[in-house]
Amino acid sequence: MERPLDSLEASLAELKSLPLFADLTRGEMNQLCVGARACYTQHRETIFRAGEDAAFFGVVLSGAYKLTKSSPNGEDVIVHFAVPGDVIAAFIMPLPNSKFPITATAMGPSRFLKLPRENFLNYWKPCPDLILSIQSALALRMQQLQDEKMMLKAPLAKKLAILLISLLEKSNASDQEQGLIPLQLTRKEIADNLGASVESIIRIMSDWSKKGVLETTDRQIRILKTDKLIQEMSVE
Amino acid sequence: MERPLDSLEASLAELKSLPLFADLTRGEMNQLCVGARACYTQHRETIFRAGEDAAFFGVVLSGAYKLTKSSPNGEDVIVHFAVPGDVIAAFIMPLPNSKFPITATAMGPSRFLKLPRENFLNYWKPCPDLILSIQSALALRMQQLQDEKMMLKAPLAKKLAILLISLLEKSNASDQEQGLIPLQLTRKEIADNLGASVESIIRIMSDWSKKGVLETTDRQIRILKTDKLIQEMSVE
DNA sequence: CGCCTCTTTGAGCTCAATCAAGGTGTGTGG
DNA sequence: CCACACACCTTGATTGAGCTCAAAGAGGCG
């Protein structure tokens, strides 16, 4: 699950290519990433669980992770889909003796750069620009949550359309061109993210499939008629 | 609406009493608050509207503000109830040419300390501890949003119980003792916060009134049987 | 006094949940 | 290699929580 340092070199190079770290020098990077570990996870493997001591944070390198929370009565809710470049759990590093509030589970084989909590407090904290970049990311995620809350009363089809479009926007340019959603998603996962039941999601999506709005091959969703979806979003 | 500097002295003293600023010296405080204005708002008056240029941020001094977002179809959703000590809009200061994503409206006469955006970028940013305190506040608010999302499938009565209890926890000790919720809330506002309809909220609350769980006098809600509500929360 | 905001109650309807049942593909242990 | 479990997908029938609509009373205010 955790690989030796030789692969770390490559991982750091990957980090360098992220906008978050673009402005940093090699030396600064090394400092920030002291004690880092590249972490390889299989499908459905977790990197941490809700309630565990938050001893580290990190960055998604490849693949994807779902961040989930389970309600007292066993319902699982997906709070966020983390894609490459996303910083995870950095927000709770400043909180005293914090626990992870969520569980992070790999969706397909994925890689994660794991950084010790001390790094954040000792090396990341004194970099105002870095911290504010992270804060910006947090602010965006928060705005997304707020937007979702705003859509609370919208019909399920609309919520689903919004979700798909916003996921599509995370694709790289060429995939986006082809309407490919950059995530392997099960209907259950979509349902868990929208707070809906699997059946309802299936009904809406198979309806769209029949109408040629989208198609699914092995959990890979391709949107064929983006305009139809956008239209769906503005209905009522 | 905006008062001269003489009242500023008093406002700064109020700030000093907040945990966020407890560790700062007098001089630091003055620096951070250069150009600040104490801002007095009437009931239903806004301090800023969604879409306006985010030229300032600030701290709630007294009263309360509701932070709202309106969906394309005219639905208003209350994203957060801001109470004294809450920092507003600091999160979006680092974002380049940002607009306010929400509207802040006074609930009853309230006061707000308005700080120019430049202060954040010039004076607040270089203070790691201060920035991280703000980030912690942001993280908590985010966790609250996540918790709400988790409760998406819960029955409305449960969501309402959770809201009331969490608001009650914001009271000062003596008010909490008496079950007083530190906010003047209309049923509509509760509905807008939970994404429900006014009628549904009324039905649940008048039911609870009849059972003696709570009572309302002129928008002031008093919880009589906290245990009943907590019980309500755990009902599937 | 008319206007506005807020509250209340009742009736009917609808969207999406639940329940039930069956189908497919994949991994796994006997 | 088979069977069995498990995760996922699908469809239909039924149900109910909460929405909408409608109508009306109760302050507060210019």
Side-chain angles (χ1 to χ4, degrees):
Chain A
M1 180 169 153
E2 294 192 7
R3 286 270 216 90
L5 291 169
D6 63 81
S7 65
L8 198 57
E9 263 309 294
S11 300
L12 288 190
E14 273 178 273
L15 272 198
K16 246 326 243 171
S17 69
L18 298 173
L20 188 59
F21 304 98
D23 295 337
L24 298 171
T25 69
R26 192 79 203 171
E28 287 168 328
M29 283 292 287
N30 284 337
Q31 172 86 99
L32 292 176
C33 298
V34 169
R37 286 252 173 272
C39 182
Y40 292 69
T41 46
Q42 297 297 314
H43 183 46
R44 245 170 288 163
E45 201 176 332
T46 65
I47 39 184
F48 55 81
R49 289 176 179 283
E52 288 175 6
D53 249 20
F56 61 91
F57 66 111
V59 181
V60 178
L61 295 174
S62 68
Y65 294 88
K66 53 181 171 185
L67 309 186
T68 61
K69 229 176 149 73
S70 25
S71 68
N73 38 315
E75 290 284 335
D76 260 21
V77 176
I78 297 181
V79 165
H80 184 73
F81 295 110
V83 293
D86 276 5
V87 177
I88 296 186
F91 327 132
I92 55 164
M93 289 299 112
L95 299 173
N97 51 12
S98 55
K99 315 269 177 206
F100 290 116
I102 45 163
T103 301
T105 312
M107 307 167 72
S110 308
R111 291 179 311 120
F112 178 74
L113 188 71
K114 200 169 170 174
L115 298 146
R117 180 166 196 233
E118 298 82 66
N119 286 33
F120 189 88
L121 300 174
N122 298 333
Y123 308 128
W124 293 51
K125 179 175 151 181
C127 304
D129 286 311
L130 185 60
I131 295 291
L132 285 194
S133 295
I134 290 176
Q135 198 176 99
S136 297
L138 179 53
L140 286 177
R141 214 133 109 194
M142 177 129 141
Q143 283 185 37
Q144 198 190 321
L145 279 170
Q146 289 179 351
D147 287 344
E148 283 171 19
K149 183 164 182 177
M150 186 176 67
M151 287 299 145
L152 222 52
K153 296 179 87 169
L156 189 51
K158 183 168 174 175
K159 291 191 220 169
L160 180 53
I162 290 174
L163 174 64
L164 292 180
I165 296 286
S166 75
L167 286 177
L168 185 58
E169 281 165 0
K170 289 184 179 177
S171 300
N172 60 54
S174 76
D175 278 358
Q176 204 175 109
E177 190 71 24
Q178 298 165 57
L180 277 178
I181 287 191
L183 238 59
Q184 302 258 318
L185 278 178
T186 70
R187 318 281 143 139
K188 177 93 173 73
E189 282 162 345
I190 295 175
D192 283 347
N193 184 51
L194 295 179
S197 70
V198 208
E199 295 95 325
S200 299
I201 298 299
I202 285 172
R203 275 184 249 271
I204 295 170
M205 286 186 68
S206 48
D207 185 42
W208 285 347
S209 271
K210 276 174 209 148
K211 291 181 184 160
V213 177
L214 49 76
E215 64 181 19
T216 339
T217 5
D218 190 35
R219 280 165 224 176
Q220 179 62 248
I221 301 169
R222 177 195 298 272
I223 296 173
L224 302 170
K225 299 182 183 167
T226 317
D227 50 328
K228 289 263 179 191
L229 273 191
I230 291 172
Q231 201 177 311
E232 196 75 44
M233 282 166 45
S234 48
V235 172
E236 208 246 334
Chain B
M1 178 173 157
E2 293 190 9
R3 285 273 214 92
L5 292 169
D6 63 80
S7 65
L8 199 56
E9 263 310 294
S11 302
L12 289 191
E14 271 178 275
L15 273 198
K16 244 329 239 171
S17 69
L18 299 173
L20 187 60
F21 304 98
D23 295 338
L24 298 170
T25 68
R26 192 79 204 170
E28 287 168 328
M29 283 292 289
N30 283 338
Q31 172 87 99
L32 292 177
C33 297
V34 169
R37 286 251 172 274
C39 182
Y40 291 69
T41 46
Q42 295 300 314
H43 184 45
R44 243 171 292 163
E45 200 176 333
T46 65
I47 40 184
F48 54 81
R49 287 175 179 284
E52 288 175 5
D53 250 20
F56 62 90
F57 67 112
V59 182
V60 177
L61 295 175
S62 68
Y65 294 87
K66 51 181 171 184
L67 310 186
T68 61
K69 229 176 149 71
S70 26
S71 69
N73 38 315
E75 290 284 335
D76 260 21
V77 175
I78 297 180
V79 165
H80 184 73
F81 295 109
V83 292
D86 276 6
V87 177
I88 295 186
F91 327 132
I92 56 164
M93 290 298 111
L95 298 173
N97 51 13
S98 55
K99 314 268 180 207
F100 289 116
I102 46 162
T103 300
T105 312
M107 304 167 73
S110 307
R111 291 179 312 117
F112 178 74
L113 188 71
K114 200 169 171 176
L115 297 147
R117 181 167 196 233
E118 298 81 65
N119 286 33
F120 189 89
L121 300 174
N122 298 333
Y123 309 128
W124 293 50
K125 180 174 151 182
C127 305
D129 287 312
L130 184 60
I131 295 291
L132 285 194
S133 294
I134 290 177
Q135 199 177 99
S136 298
L138 179 54
L140 286 176
R141 215 133 111 192
M142 177 128 141
Q143 283 185 37
Q144 198 191 321
L145 279 170
Q146 289 179 350
D147 287 345
E148 283 172 18
K149 183 164 180 174
M150 185 175 70
M151 287 300 143
L152 221 52
K153 298 179 85 169
L156 189 51
K158 183 169 174 174
K159 292 191 221 169
L160 180 53
I162 291 174
L163 174 65
L164 291 180
I165 296 287
S166 75
L167 286 177
L168 184 59
E169 281 166 359
K170 290 184 180 178
S171 300
N172 59 53
S174 76
D175 278 358
Q176 205 176 91
E177 191 70 24
Q178 299 165 55
L180 276 179
I181 288 192
L183 238 59
Q184 301 259 316
L185 278 178
T186 70
R187 318 281 145 137
K188 177 94 175 71
E189 281 162 345
I190 295 175
D192 283 347
N193 184 51
L194 295 179
S197 69
V198 208
E199 295 94 326
S200 299
I201 299 300
I202 285 172
R203 276 183 248 271
I204 295 171
M205 287 186 67
S206 47
D207 185 41
W208 285 348
S209 270
K210 275 172 208 149
K211 290 180 183 159
V213 177
L214 49 77
E215 65 181 17
T216 337
T217 1
D218 190 34
R219 280 164 226 175
Q220 178 64 246
I221 301 169
R222 177 195 298 272
I223 296 175
L224 301 170
K225 299 183 183 167
T226 317
D227 51 326
K228 290 263 179 191
L229 272 190
I230 291 172
Q231 200 177 312
E232 196 74 43
M233 281 165 46
S234 50
V235 172
E236 210 237 331

